[in-house]
Amino acid sequence: MDIRIKICGLREADHVAAAAKAGANYLGLVFFPRSPRFLTLLQAQKLALVVPAGIAKVGLVVDADDTTLDALLAEVPLDMLQLHGRESVARVAEVRSRYGLPVMKAIGVATEADLALVAEYGRVADQILVDAKPPAGADLPGGNGRAFDWTLLSRRRWPCPWMLAGGLTPANVAEAIYLTGAKQVDVSSGVEIAPGVKDAGLIADFIAAARA
């Protein structure tokens, strides 16, 4: 099955290599200071430079202003920006226009009512990341290891390509793809042995299970 896969929150060159070897299409670098997967600009720059050609380097930011994005993109060679905060539709369009990079907007989903935002943002974003809505009071907007009712996405069509995230693991990703019809999936905590610590074996297992 031709499923495109994003491994997010990478922090080690060995795990970049493992993800590339296993066939990942996107690698996510996190620039949100409260995340256990956070990278400084120097750390991210070094990591980005060892990503093989043909794999998209995605920078995850949360409500970043232009000054922050200017500094980030001056130092780190990214292929895509992932906006994972409360950015407005207008802000998504502005970022896309200002920086000339594809933009992926994350939308948290808990109920069917949340899906209206997918269509709304899908008119201005290049891709939508459909993620589980974080619990009340959560420190992180994503990467919490939570899933949502995948049947909410069954047979849905939106204005742009979308990617499924939220609580995916090697054990459940095949079911999630079956129930949602997703063509792309994203994983972070589901391939970790501790918060922010990836495991090469789990990365390989996840990618194999997604494409089984």
Side-chain angles (χ1 to χ4, degrees), residues 58-142:
V58 183
L60 186 159
V61 297
V62 178
D63 299 315
D65 59 19
D66 288 347
T67 300
T68 300
L69 292 176
D70 289 347
L72 169 59
L73 293 171
E75 298 295 333
V76 186
L78 297 174
D79 302 303
M80 178 180 286
L81 288 169
Q82 178 178 327
L83 306 185
H84 214 112
R86 297 182 179 181
E87 300 87 0
S88 67
V89 171
R91 178 58 177 161
V92 173
E94 180 183 31
V95 169
R96 188 172 181 269
S97 175
R98 177 182 174 91
Y99 296 101
L101 288 176
V103 171
M104 178 186 295
K105 177 67 179 89
I107 303 295
V109 172
T111 68
E112 188 169 3
D114 297 317
L115 298 178
L117 290 176
V118 179
E120 185 177 351
Y121 281 91
R123 292 194 293 269
V124 296
D126 294 279
Q127 296 204 40
I128 296 292
L129 182 77
V130 183
D131 199 359
K133 183 175 284 188
D139 287 334
L140 304 178

Side-chain angles (χ1 to χ4, degrees), residues 102-181:
V103 171
M104 178 186 295
K105 177 67 179 89
I107 303 295
V109 172
T111 68
E112 188 169 3
D114 297 317
L115 298 178
L117 290 176
V118 179
E120 185 177 351
Y121 281 91
R123 292 194 293 269
V124 296
D126 294 279
Q127 296 204 40
I128 296 292
L129 182 77
V130 183
D131 199 359
K133 183 175 284 188
D139 287 334
L140 304 178
N144 292 295
R146 289 169 61 94
F148 61 97
D149 180 1
W150 294 321
T151 63
L152 292 173
L153 305 185
S154 180
R155 296 183 295 279
R156 296 280 180 172
R157 298 292 181 269
W158 287 299
C160 69
W162 62 280
M163 183 178 292
L164 179 66
L168 298 178
T169 69
N172 68 16
V173 65
E175 179 187 11
I177 290 169
Y178 175 77
L179 290 175
T180 64

